[in-house]
Amino acid sequence: MASKTNDPAAHADDIVSRRGEVSASLAHACSRIKDVLTYSSAYLVFIAMVEVLTVHVVLSLPLSPAPVVVGLVTFSVYAGDRIADAEGDALSTPERSAFVTRHREALSLLTAGAYGVAIALAITGGPVALAITLLPGGFWILYASDWFPTLGRRFKRLKQVLVVNSAMVASAWAIAVVGLPLAFAEAAITPLSGVVFVYFLVDTFVNTEIPNVRDVEADAADGVSTLPVVFGIRRTRHALYGLDLFLVAFVVLTLAFGPLTVALAGAILVGLGYALVLAWFVGRTNAPGRLAIAGESKHLVVFALLLVSTAGL
Amino acid sequence: MLPPTTVVVPLLFGSVAIGSGAAILAWRERPNPGATPLVWLLGGQSVWATCIIFSLSAESVSGTLTWTKLGWIGVMIVPVAWILFALEYTGRDQYITRRNVALLSVVPVLTVCLAVTEQYHGLLYVRAAGVTADGAVVAEQGGVWYGVAAAYTYLLGVLGIVPILGLVSSRATAFRGQSAALLVGITTPWATNVLYNAGALPSAGIDPTPIAFAVSGVAYLGAIRRFRMFGANPAPTWRAKEFLFDHIHEGAIVVDGHDTIVEINQTGAAILGVDADRALGASASELLPVSGPIQADGGRDFLTVGTESTSQSYDVTMTELTDRRDHTLGYVFTLHNVTRYLQQQQRLKVLNRVLRHNIRTEANIIQGYAERTADETAKTIKRRTMRIVELSEKGRDAIDLFEDAVGEWNQSSLDSLVGDCLAGARDAFPDVAFELDRPTEDAPVPDGAAVVVNNLIENAAVHNVGSDRRVSVSAWVEGDQAVVQITDNGPGIDEYELDILDSGTETPLRHGSGLGLWLVKWGTETIGGSVDFEPAEPTGTIATVTVPLSGSDGRTPAPRDG
């Protein structure tokens, strides 16, 4: 009687079965990694670091710890915000809320430690670098934490105030992304750095409003006034078109009369074209989460084009 | 840029990272007790360490001196935050008022102001003392106010440790673990600071105290995460004790071993008619005019306060407080208002007299008149009159039960109790065949059980109307209880009667036929026993009474309802 292990057909089945298990395990692991990157906002860390590197390239600054500091602060603030809003997010992003709730302890420790390390690194850049590093955390306290309303009836979470909320987020990150490399390099503020700041300010504003379309019901329930909550999704889409077109005009003007180079202007304009296409999908897609990630990913496109055009890579 | 100085510099960076990270964690723990001051403490430590780093990295002497002066902001935040943390964390947050925080901040604010303006007065001077081998400017600090600030800092440090030490002796292991971590956290920087100021640390002239605070940060993180500092917080225990002391209905007075009142709650002060604050420090024997000596631990006497019409009576209990070696520390007097109870007692005594004497006297007179006639009507009058007398005697028994319920029961022997009850029943009901199964083991029982057993035997005999009327009584001891069982072959107790008994109350439309079963119920309740009825075969009822045995002193404390 032949044993099963000597049965060629059974052996082949076994191999197929093992291959199936391995591929299933790989798929599971990939899915887990994707969850971690998405729900913990780790992908934002990567994009924020690329933004800072873009500033380094555009302003020709020496490499510094600024990208690491911004990355750590981005993780700390965004993941910290998700910890704070885990309950409220259960309505709009139930899977992310469940992930954050399940890993609350670990995320809490990691985010606190990340900001602590970022501050220590920023000290090496001097007082201005330290102040800029503290800015997103300070803005977050005014923006999202429940501490600000405790100061009095007239104070409410700035997250609830129309335009101020997104403008605050955009300001904090634009200052950090542009200011920190300058502070580390002890470089002066130039017209070109001003142009880059305006670009990141408006662009971050747009990218802040895109996920607000997905969160419209939860924000309305939470008393948060965003463009989609107040003006509706169609008008929000028009507003985003307007902001992107404003940036297009701004880039063209600064190319014509200002310090912008053709390579940089070209990269930014391609990125803005990409942003306009994404704006068309606002309110028209069944995957609003992916739209938000795609919006942030625009900076990867711009950075890649910059590298190709300026460094010849 | 920073010169490559000693190992102290990277340690300073580490202390900032840990301190600010721990501050964020503490921020997230708000509003738990202690979290907000801990944020300030860790923030102050981070500011301190950051200013040292900037002073070392400054490229000019003036830059070094400026950052050294600004470092005082962090230096002086730490002790104030520490004392606030210790108070809030241990539940003494009533001391954390805006006024007190402002008072605590006077010296720190003055210190920072004097440091910034030091060139005009020199009370707290900050000057360059030299340059290290790495090229870093070393700042030297001193002056009269430097000593004041240092003394103030150490004072707050020690004061903050005191309430935390209280947790070390806590009965709750979790709190001991937390406070041990906190003590490590706080003693390390203080000890480092003392050693640095004494010149005992080889730190190249750099104050390493903020680095030691990094150890604090780790300890606090450990306390937060491992011991769940804010998850299992001792603050409520302290406040709960205060709350209970202040809000219990009883007056409470704590007297030390020298007859001095050291604590009194609002109720106690109101009873004695004194202001609570003024009573503190007064002589207890003058304020507590209790007649006769007060016995410790359970000794009772009544304290009457006020004029006759509005007087209130209080049951005074004195409990001795001892330390772990049984040395007397003082006494706690509790004053429990028993005015209504005493009034109830008075009413019961009046009712007792009416039932005992007046009804019997009136019944005797009626019977006397009835005996002047010799017809059937006279017999009926006599029988009914006797029934009234019996009812009054049961009412009297009930009053006796209620009176005894607030005192202590005398004891009886179980054997003699059932023997006496049965002897009385044989006299009262000669037509009933009684049978007694005496207990094999005798034991002391509360004599209130006699009322219960008597009524059950009487109930079994009087309602048994058949030709062969039998009642058997058996008694035995089961553990620390005595059991008496009365079995009859009568018609059984009506379910209606038992339902009313179970409900515990009667209405004009729903009531029992007499007082007998009520006496059984009340009697068993007052002596802490129970009674159970079940049908006997083929007819009749089995009543089982369970009563607790009396204590070794022969007296059973009666259950009190206050």
Side-chain angles (χ1 to χ4, degrees), chain B residues 452-528:
Chain B
V452 178
V453 175
N454 266 330
N455 275 280
L456 283 173
I457 293 174
E458 182 188 322
N459 198 61
V462 79
H463 296 292
N464 197 340
V465 291
S467 55
D468 175 26
R469 293 188 285 172
R470 280 180 282 110
V471 174
S472 65
V473 179
S474 54
W476 65 90
V477 175
E478 261 182 20
D480 57 354
Q481 292 181 320
V483 182
V484 181
Q485 198 167 67
I486 297 102
T487 309
D488 67 75
N489 64 341
I493 301 175
D494 195 331
E495 282 294 326
Y496 179 74
E497 295 268 355
L498 292 179
D499 283 347
I500 291 172
L501 215 57
D502 284 340
S503 72
T505 184
E506 289 188 345
T507 66
L509 295 176
R510 179 179 156 84
H511 55 80
S513 58
L515 271 176
L517 285 177
W518 282 116
L519 281 170
V520 169
K521 178 180 169 66
W522 294 335
T524 50
E525 283 173 356
T526 53
I527 59 177

Side-chain angles (χ1 to χ4, degrees), chain A residues 109-132:
Chain A
L109 270 176
L110 284 173
T111 51
Y115 217 126
V117 173
I119 289 171
L121 280 175
I123 289 173
T124 62
V128 177
L130 175 62
I132 291 172

Side-chain angles (χ1 to χ4, degrees), chain A residues 30-68:
Chain A
C30 289
S31 172
R32 289 288 297 268
I33 290 167
K34 192 203 82 177
D35 285 352
V36 170
L37 289 175
T38 310
Y39 299 144
S40 70
S41 72
Y43 75 97
L44 282 174
V45 173
F46 180 65
I47 290 167
M49 290 173 77
V50 167
E51 287 180 43
V52 182
L53 285 171
T54 305
V55 173
H56 273 91
V57 173
V58 171
L59 301 181
S60 303
L61 298 172
L63 208 57
S64 69
V68 178

Side-chain angles (χ1 to χ4, degrees), chain B residues 76-108:
Chain B
M76 296 313 292
I77 284 174
V78 168
V80 177
W82 162 246
I83 188 79
L84 296 178
F85 168 76
L87 290 173
E88 193 175 299
Y89 180 59
T90 56
R92 293 163 173 84
D93 59 313
Q94 74 268 30
Y95 301 117
I96 306 177
T97 59
R98 285 187 178 179
R99 182 172 160 272
N100 287 349
V101 173
L103 286 173
L104 282 169
S105 305
V106 169
V107 173

Side-chain angles (χ1 to χ4, degrees), chain A residues 143 156-166 209 212 216 219-231:
Chain A
Y143 169 78
K156 60 178 179 178
R157 293 200 305 169
L158 296 181
K159 187 177 187 174
Q160 296 174 308
V161 183
L162 181 67
V163 179
V164 173
N165 42 24
S166 295
E209 287 296 341
N212 287 341
V216 62
D219 285 341
D222 201 26
V224 176
S225 296
T226 60
L227 290 182
V229 168
V230 176
F231 299 112

Side-chain angles (χ1 to χ4, degrees), chain A residues 76 80 83 105 107-109 111-113 115-117 119-120 123-124 126-127 130 140-141 145-147, chain B residues 1-2 13-14 16-18 20-22 24-25 27-28 30 46 50 53-54 57 59 67 221 225 228:
Chain A
S76 183
I83 293 171
E105 286 291 299
L107 281 174
S108 187
L109 270 176
T111 51
Y115 217 126
V117 173
I119 289 171
I123 289 173
T124 62
L130 175 62
W140 183 84
I141 289 172
S145 89
D146 52 3
W147 170 79
Chain B
M1 290 301 290
L2 274 171
F13 276 102
V16 173
I18 292 172
S20 46
I24 292 169
L25 286 174
W27 169 272
R28 288 183 186 148
R30 291 168 312 112
S46 299
T50 302
I53 293 171
F54 284 150
S57 62
E59 291 170 354
W67 284 112
L221 276 173
R225 296 291 153 187
R228 295 191 56 74

Side-chain angles (χ1 to χ4, degrees), chain B residues 306-378:
Chain B
T307 57
E308 276 191 18
S309 59
T310 59
S311 69
Q312 298 284 308
S313 298
Y314 297 91
D315 180 11
V316 183
T317 307
M318 187 176 79
T319 307
E320 191 177 8
L321 300 173
T322 58
D323 62 14
R324 277 187 285 182
R325 295 174 184 167
D326 277 342
H327 295 156
T328 302
L329 295 173
Y331 303 90
V332 178
F333 291 88
T334 50
L335 310 177
H336 177 64
N337 194 329
V338 290
T339 310
R340 291 183 66 184
Y341 154 69
L342 292 177
Q343 288 170 345
Q344 199 79 356
Q345 286 281 90
Q346 283 178 339
R347 290 165 195 155
L348 285 174
K349 280 178 183 172
V350 172
L351 274 175
N352 195 353
R353 175 180 57 76
V354 171
L355 292 172
R356 187 183 294 272
H357 300 292
N358 298 32
I359 290 179
R360 179 172 279 278
T361 304
E362 294 301 321
N364 285 341
I365 292 169
I366 293 169
Q367 283 186 339
Y369 279 103
E371 280 171 358
R372 292 183 181 179
T373 59
D375 57 7
E376 206 49 41
T377 307

